[in-house]
Amino acid sequence: LSSWKEVIEDESQEGTVLERFQICARERSECASKAKDGMLGFKMRGQVSTEFAEVCFDNDAVPGTVYGPVLTEAGLHLVYLHSLKAPM
């Protein structure tokens, strides 16, 4: 996954970081999210594993960034943080 992350973050490659993440997920992922180009949709803290939450809800998290590899009970993942919403 580290080599995939390098390709996704490589600005000399065609497309945006998001587009490269989606292509990588579609072509290489073994996760069920593969069918949606790796997109999990909007999630709140209690809807993701502790490991994902540590990345996604960290105060230093930056939208448009790829994090990981992240190890969860389901395996290894790269996380593309699309956007954040302020808590209500």
Side-chain angles (χ1 to χ4, degrees):
L1 288 181
S2 293
S3 63
W4 296 5
K5 185 176 176 182
E6 287 179 21
V7 170
I8 293 167
E9 293 177 329
D10 184 353
E11 294 296 326
S12 71
Q13 299 291 320
E14 186 175 322
T16 65
V17 171
L18 174 58
E19 291 167 337
R20 292 189 297 271
F21 178 87
Q22 291 174 315
I23 290 168
C24 190
R26 184 173 50 247
E27 294 177 353
R28 302 175 183 183
S29 179
E30 296 175 8
C31 181
S33 67
K34 173 181 186 167
K36 295 181 181 180
D37 295 339
M39 297 294 115
L40 300 175
F42 178 76
K43 301 290 181 195
M44 294 188 303
R45 189 177 298 273
Q47 296 177 304
V48 295
S49 70
T50 302
E51 298 84 2
F52 266 55
E54 288 174 359
V55 170
C56 299
F57 301 106
D58 181 288
N59 289 332
D60 295 327
V62 178
T65 302
V66 178
Y67 293 95
V70 176
L71 178 61
T72 71
E73 287 184 10
L76 282 169
H77 310 271
L78 292 178
V79 178
Y80 176 82
L81 186 60
H82 185 275
S83 57
L84 297 171
K85 293 183 180 181
M88 301 182 130

